[in-house]
Amino acid sequence: MAPRIILIGPMGSGKSTIGKSLANKLSLEFRDTDSVIEQRENKSVSQIFIEDGEAAFRAIEREVLHQELKASDTVLALGGGAPISTEAQSALTATSSHVVYLDISLANVAPRIGFNRDRPLLLNNPRGQWQTLMEARRPIYEAIADTVVDVNKRSQSEIVAQILEVLA
Ligand code: S3P
């Protein structure tokens, strides 16, 4: 078994918001790799980056992804970097889950990432760092996705409705 739906995409694309709404509509449990990591480590993502470093965060993230891919009947949102390792790419390609990539432009994500909440990778220059990460990651998101959803200038309900239609 595997999660029913896996949401991938960059920081600020709305994976958690859309994921919660989808899970609610489908009566599935919503899971989120960042939240699982925070509960497991009993500290925030930022704290892990600052105190232990990115490599330590990625190692935990890999374990959490591996574990969450075994869960059935969930909607799983992945941190923006979780699908990027070659190991994660293979696991996600092999899964029976429907992988949905939420695609958003820099112009539309900018207002959401300007006020950094808990995004250690965007600390100094949020837009520039977001764009650099996105340029490197976009081809990977596209390659893994079963469905690409353009979330630019669309309401949460429109996005959820489109995903439900694809799944029907
Ligand atoms: C990251 C994205 C974050 C979080 C961490 C690293 C990334 O998750 O996992 O800050 O590498 O893109 P969100 O995409 O949910 O913000």
Side-chain angles (χ1 to χ4, degrees):
M1 292 303 285
R4 274 281 197 98
I5 304 167
I6 299 176
L7 295 171
I8 62 170
M11 291 179 263
S13 57
K15 292 164 294 195
S16 299
T17 314
I18 300 299
K20 280 179 196 155
S21 175
L22 270 175
N24 192 269
K25 296 249 182 229
L26 295 166
S27 300
L28 299 174
E29 186 189 351
F30 174 70
R31 309 276 295 173
D32 174 339
T33 54
D34 285 340
S35 304
V36 176
I37 291 169
E38 290 184 334
Q39 276 164 19
R40 200 184 108 151
E41 300 300 305
N42 201 23
K43 44 187 172 180
S44 69
V45 167
S46 280
Q47 268 179 299
I48 302 171
F49 267 77
I50 292 162
E51 293 172 14
D52 311 315
E54 181 171 354
F57 174 80
R58 296 298 175 200
I60 303 163
E61 185 175 58
R62 273 198 299 278
E63 279 177 33
V64 166
L65 176 61
H66 186 69
Q67 170 200 316
E68 292 299 321
L69 289 180
K70 291 183 191 155
S72 54
D73 286 338
T74 57
V75 174
L76 175 66
L78 303 192
I84 302 306
S85 71
T86 47
E87 186 192 333
Q89 290 180 47
S90 310
L92 289 165
T93 310
T95 181
S96 57
S97 309
H98 196 96
V99 179
V100 178
Y101 161 35
L102 302 184
D103 189 16
I104 190 162
S105 69
L106 176 61
N108 286 302
V109 88
R112 302 187 190 182
I113 57 171
F115 299 98
N116 195 330
R117 288 173 313 165
D118 190 21
R119 297 201 163 110
L121 289 179
L122 304 181
L123 274 179
N124 300 319
N125 168 10
R127 287 161 166 248
Q129 286 167 288
W130 187 92
Q131 191 169 26
T132 303
L133 285 170
M134 190 57 170
E135 275 163 16
R137 291 172 172 180
R138 176 176 279 115
I140 299 175
Y141 292 144
E142 287 175 351
I144 297 169
D146 296 304
T147 301
V148 180
V149 177
D150 179 351
V151 302
N152 291 296
K153 298 203 169 66
R154 296 177 66 211
S155 70
Q156 180 185 320
S157 55
E158 284 171 335
I159 297 163
V160 170
Q162 185 186 338
I163 298 172
L164 291 173
E165 209 171 291
V166 171
L167 292 170

